[in-house]
Amino acid sequence: MEKAVAVAPRLRASWLRSERYGLTEDEMRPVFTGSVDTGSLLYECGTEVLRGLQTTLANEPISLMITDSDGLVLARLCNDSAINRSLDGVHLAPGFYFAERNAGTNGLGLALADRAPSLVRAEEHFCTGLRGYTCAAVPVPDPHTGGLAGSVNLTTWSDSSSELLLALAQAAAGNTAALMLARASGRKVRPTPRGEVFRVYADRLQHRDEPLSPGWTGAVGQARDAVERGRVVAVTGEPGAGKTALVSLARRELRARERVLSARTPAPEDVEAWLTLWTPELEKDSTCVIVSGVDTLPAWAATELARIFTSVRTGEGLQPFALTAESFDTLPEPLKPLVDAVVEVPPLRSRPDDVLALAHHFALTDRHRAVTFTPSAARALQGYEWPGNVRELRQVVREAATRAEVIDVHHLPAEVFTGASRPLSRLQALERDELVRCLTEPGTTVAQAAQRLGMGRATVYRKMAQYGIKLPGRS
């Protein structure tokens, strides 16, 4: 009973979303696409894992499926012809989209919407056509981004035992994620967010000797003007671009002593406790809560957040909350009607003039005294693309500043000297890092580096081209 009670609110929220999508109990809208990406890492690893599970379940009427993050069924494996024919009849087959907006409440749709393991039995399905099945589905994370790659879905007859169905789906999804990580060219998956709530000291960025670029200050001005007019602001931009810092600065320019809190979205299983932790702060005077990354929230949590924000939204004056997301399009649907103004933060690569100013600021903040960057190090920092934006810059500077007060190229990581290229294996990354380490040692020529590495000069130049290594002062 306890488990049923815990799951019921998610199912109720899913039924409400299904109604808002315009579905009825008697009508599903599975959309067919003419192509399925069979070359993706998810497809490759997921089908490999499911084939092994299919062998184990050879005599069971269970259909094993892989879907992408939009609910498109990529693969379906099953030895039972009866259930295969039945699933074809409801279009739960490769090439069909089966998300909530297409098929109402169902296992894979709920797992993708809430980004959490889901079991939907018989009558719990929104559409009557699916009530003959029980579906268990589990999200699969993307090893490159830590976002959502897709799901593993197991479907059986509703009168079959479902006790182990979710456990099997969780094991298959876990094995798929592990295999994807092992084959993802040595990249590490982003850690699961923990949902921290902390105070933002934006004034530390505000009082600086060097002003930041017009791209940044213009965005701050847009946010400040919108906040001053009593609008709800959503700040968008790439991960690590400084969305929370920007909206905090805008608030501080209007109300210098305001208490600004940032609430980072947590893992799906921790959302309920996370909401309980910080929502009481919205009622306090001179307090603003910035909810970061709302586009990663489970669907039910976005609905609850919209209800909370609606209840505290003021008729006039500064609103007690702001949002951040990668783009307006990725904002959850329940939150979009609340947003009055969208401000986009330009990525760091679009404002290279900010790199050194921020680097000096971060070094001073972390080391508590100023550091110097050599001209070569400065050129390297300004020439890098910064895919991780300001967050990556801070990490690079923090590590370099612990090693020296005068930061030169050999204090910087190999990535700073590497142009955009295909992902590297672990061995390739080690080779690249060793090349950069030797080439950036003070006074070292290419010929000397080649000798230390046991390579010819031509090989070193070829490797530099292969890895996109560009060192200041060297062609």
Side-chain angles (χ1 to χ4, degrees):
M1 285 298 294
E2 292 180 0
K3 184 174 181 181
V5 170
V7 172
R10 288 182 56 205
L11 289 171
R12 285 197 298 270
S14 178
W15 274 58
L16 289 173
R17 291 194 299 272
S18 301
E19 290 176 349
R20 286 200 296 269
Y21 292 139
L23 301 173
T24 66
E25 292 189 19
D26 298 324
E27 181 189 13
M28 295 187 296
R29 299 172 184 168
V31 176
F32 180 73
T33 179
S35 62
V36 170
D37 183 8
T38 58
S40 68
L41 188 62
L42 172 65
Y43 181 91
E44 173 191 329
C45 297
T47 53
E48 185 172 330
V49 168
L50 291 188
R51 285 193 189 99
L53 183 57
Q54 183 185 24
T55 301
T56 304
L57 302 174
N59 298 318
E60 298 293 331
I62 298 178
S63 178
L64 316 174
M65 285 169 258
I66 291 289
T67 80
D68 70 7
S69 59
D70 294 321
L72 174 64
V73 180
L74 303 177
R76 190 184 76 190
L77 287 72
C78 182
N79 295 322
D80 190 290
S81 58
I83 199 169
N84 276 332
R85 286 195 301 271
S86 180
L87 292 175
D88 285 342
V90 295
H91 307 297
L92 185 46
F96 283 91
Y97 285 96
F98 227 77
E100 280 184 344
R101 66 176 59 251
N102 307 115
T105 303
N106 68 88
L108 73 89
L110 185 58
L112 294 173
D114 283 354
R115 305 190 183 205
S118 301
L119 179 66
V120 178
R121 301 179 177 88
E123 298 299 318
E124 294 172 340
H125 288 89
F126 182 79
C127 296
T128 56
L130 298 179
R131 293 178 185 172
Y133 311 102
T134 291
C135 303
V138 180
V140 177
D142 187 308
H144 287 180
T145 67
L148 187 63
S151 74
V152 167
N153 177 47
L154 272 59
T155 296
T156 188
W157 302 117
S158 59
D159 57 0
S160 300
S161 173
S162 62
E163 297 305 315
L164 294 178
L165 200 64
L166 186 57
L168 287 171
Q170 288 177 303
N175 290 338
T176 299
L179 189 57
M180 289 174 68
L181 180 59
R183 294 180 180 176
S185 303
R187 294 192 180 188
K188 295 182 180 178
V189 67
R190 290 183 182 178
T192 301
R194 296 184 298 170
E196 300 97 336
V197 177
F198 56 91
R199 190 165 182 176
V200 180
Y201 296 95
D203 51 329
R204 292 180 181 176
L205 276 173
Q206 201 168 19
H207 299 120
R208 308 164 29 76
D209 293 332
E210 302 174 64
L212 294 180
S213 66
W216 172 264
T217 55
V220 173
Q222 291 177 38
R224 181 192 61 242
D225 294 344
V227 169
E228 188 173 21
R229 292 195 295 270
R231 296 185 173 184
V232 173
V233 176
V235 181
T236 63
E238 295 179 2
K243 298 185 287 292
T244 299
L246 184 140
V247 70
S248 180
L249 279 172
R251 304 278 309 199
R252 291 294 181 86
E253 289 186 3
L254 296 169
R255 190 183 285 174
R257 299 182 65 83
E258 183 174 55
R259 182 168 169 263
V260 181
L261 303 177
S262 173
R264 289 177 178 168
T265 52
E269 63 270 19
D270 298 327
V271 169
E272 190 170 353
W274 173 76
L275 287 170
T276 304
L277 178 64
W278 63 264
T279 49
E281 303 296 327
L282 292 167
E283 303 286 352
K284 297 181 179 179
D285 293 337
S286 298
T287 296
C288 173
V289 178
I290 304 168
V291 186
S292 304
V294 293
D295 43 353
T296 65
L297 284 172
W300 74 265
T303 301
E304 177 64 12
L305 197 60
R307 184 192 66 78
I308 292 168
F309 285 161
T310 300
S311 69
V312 301
R313 185 171 182 170
T314 62
E316 56 184 23
L318 276 62
Q319 301 297 333
F321 62 92
L323 314 174
T324 79
E326 287 202 33
S327 70
F328 181 77
D329 290 341
T330 63
L331 276 172
E333 290 299 328
L335 293 171
K336 284 183 178 179
L338 292 175
V339 175
D340 302 313
V342 178
V343 178
E344 184 176 2
V345 183
L348 189 56
R349 64 180 173 275
S350 298
R351 42 192 179 97
D353 291 343
D354 289 347
V355 171
L356 283 184
L358 289 170
H360 282 290
H361 167 71
F362 292 145
L364 180 62
T365 300
D366 292 328
R367 194 181 174 93
H368 304 294
R369 60 178 181 270
V371 302
T372 302
F373 294 88
T374 66
S376 293
R379 287 196 299 273
L381 292 174
Q382 289 181 303
Y384 182 48
E385 289 290 311
W386 298 109
N389 287 292
V390 178
R391 186 182 300 146
E392 183 183 9
L393 172 63
R394 178 161 196 165
Q395 183 62 34
V396 166
V397 172
R398 175 182 291 159
E399 292 179 3
T402 62
R403 301 171 59 191
E405 291 188 5
V406 178
I407 297 175
D408 201 357
V409 288
H410 63 281
H411 297 124
L412 302 176
E415 289 82 1
V416 171
F417 306 98
T418 306
S421 62
R422 60 183 175 81
L424 304 180
S425 68
R426 289 185 176 89
L427 287 176
Q428 289 172 326
L430 286 172
E431 182 178 55
R432 178 206 61 191
D433 292 355
E434 186 64 10
L435 273 167
V436 172
R437 187 189 67 79
C438 290
L439 289 166
T440 56
E441 287 182 0
T444 300
T445 64
V446 173
Q448 290 170 330
Q451 186 176 11
R452 292 175 188 174
L453 291 165
M455 301 178 180
R457 286 181 60 188
T459 302
V460 170
Y461 280 117
R462 179 173 58 80
K463 294 285 186 182
M464 290 174 66
Q466 175 186 342
Y467 295 125
I469 298 171
K470 297 179 181 179
L471 301 174
R474 289 182 179 163
S475 57

